[in-house]
Amino acid sequence: VSVECNACAGRWPARALWIADRDATQAYLHEDQFFPGWTVVVLRRHVTELYGLAAAERALVMDEVSDTAAALARAFGAVKMNYALLGNVLPHMHWHLIPRRADDPAPLLPVWGVAHAPREPGDAERAELIARIRAALAAG
Amino acid sequence: VSVECNACAGRWPARALWIADRDATQAYLHEDQFFPGWTVVVLRRHVTELYGLAAAERALVMDEVSDTAAALARAFGAVKMNYALLGNVLPHMHWHLIPRRADDPAPLLPVWGVAHAPREPGDAERAELIARIRAALAAG
C-alpha cells in the first residue's frame, strides 16, 4: 500500500464503476465509454511494473487480464482486443482492456490517437454495461 | 503460421532491427525511435490474443516481456515503462515496450497521443541502441 496512491486510498476508480473482484485484481468500467466496453483491471496491491511481480503472481494477474479480455471480446463483438499497461499518471498497476469493433471510428489506430470528447454513460446505460460484462465473465 | 501474416512471412520487423531471441519471443528495435529505446517483442508463433495462449505459454511470454522491460528501464533510465498489445494493423502478437523518461516531451500521455514525425535512427545510432539493449539483457 502506498499512502499517496489514489488507488490504494480507494479514491480511484469510482465505486459506481465496479464490475467484479478476482483473486489478484478488480475490474471496473472505464469512465469514458466512447469505445464501448473499455474496462480497467486494477491490481489489488501496489505494484507499478510487470517486473515488480514474482513470476507466479505475474502469471495469475495475466490469467485474470486474459479471462477478462475474452469476456469483453464476446460481450462487445470485438474483432481485436487492445491491452495496455501504462501508468504514466497513476503508476499503481492497472490494465486498459479495450474491445475494438468493426464499426469503430478508427479501427487501425490506438484509441489514444483518436481525438474525441469523453462519453460518460448515464446511470441506466452504465448499469446495462456492467451487467453485460458480469454475465460474460460468469459465462467464461 | 498464417500465410497472409507479414510477421510469419518474415516481412516484419526488418532484420536490421533484430535485438535478441528468447524461447517464445524475439525482440526488435521499433522503427520510430522518437521515444528512445522503444522495443517490440514479437511472438515466434502466430497467436493474436492473450486468451489464445494456454496458461503456461502465456506465463512464459509475460516473463520474457517483463525481463525485456526491466532491461529497457535500466538501459534508458525510465521513470515508468509502458506496455501495449494492440495488433489493430498486424494482429500477430507483438508487445510494444516503451521506456518513459523524465525528459520525455509529454510524460503523462500515452505515446500515441504525442504527435511527432517518426525518427528513424541512422546505421551507427541503430547499432548503438541495439548494443545497449543487448548489454542490459545480458546483465539482467
Side-chain angles (χ1 to χ4, degrees), chain B residues 2 10 20 31-32 35 45 49 51 58 66 71 75 81-82 84 86 89 93 97 102 111 115 118 120 125 134 138-139:
Chain B
S2 162
E31 299 88 337
D32 175 9
F35 291 93
R45 72 182 189 93
E49 301 286 0
Y51 48 90
R58 184 162 56 237
S66 178
M81 286 299 300
N82 288 176
L86 306 177
V89 176
M93 184 176 289
L97 300 182
V111 295
E120 277 196 44
E125 186 188 356
R134 285 179 184 157

Side-chain angles (χ1 to χ4, degrees), chain B residues 54-135:
Chain B
E57 189 179 11
R58 184 162 56 237
L60 175 62
V61 168
M62 296 313 300
D63 286 351
E64 296 181 5
V65 166
S66 178
D67 290 350
T68 307
L72 292 169
R74 287 193 306 271
F76 293 91
V79 292
K80 185 73 189 71
M81 286 299 300
N82 288 176
Y83 316 69
L85 170 58
L86 306 177
N88 303 319
V89 176
L90 184 92
H92 183 121
M93 184 176 289
H94 59 283
W95 284 85
H96 292 277
L97 300 182
I98 309 145
R100 305 303 301 269
R101 298 159 52 126
D103 62 359
D104 204 296
L108 300 185
L109 292 183
V111 295
W112 303 277
V114 182
H116 66 273
R119 207 178 68 70
E120 277 196 44
D123 290 353
E125 186 188 356
R126 187 178 66 233
E128 186 279 320
L129 289 165
I130 289 173
R132 203 200 307 188
I133 297 168
R134 285 179 184 157

Side-chain angles (χ1 to χ4, degrees), chain A residues 48-51 58 62-63 66 69-70 73 80-89 95 100 107-110 112-113, chain B residues 48-51 58 62-63 66 69-70 73 80-86 88-89 95 100 107-110 112-113:
Chain A
T48 62
E49 300 286 0
L50 267 186
Y51 47 89
R58 184 163 54 237
M62 296 313 299
D63 286 352
S66 178
K80 185 71 190 70
M81 285 299 300
N82 287 176
Y83 316 68
L85 170 58
L86 305 177
N88 303 320
V89 175
W95 284 86
R100 304 304 300 271
L108 299 185
L109 292 182
W112 303 277
Chain B
T48 63
E49 301 286 0
L50 267 186
Y51 48 90
R58 184 162 56 237
M62 296 313 300
D63 286 351
S66 178
K80 185 73 189 71
M81 286 299 300
N82 288 176
Y83 316 69
L85 170 58
L86 306 177
N88 303 319
V89 176
W95 284 85
R100 305 303 301 269
L108 300 185
L109 292 183
W112 303 277

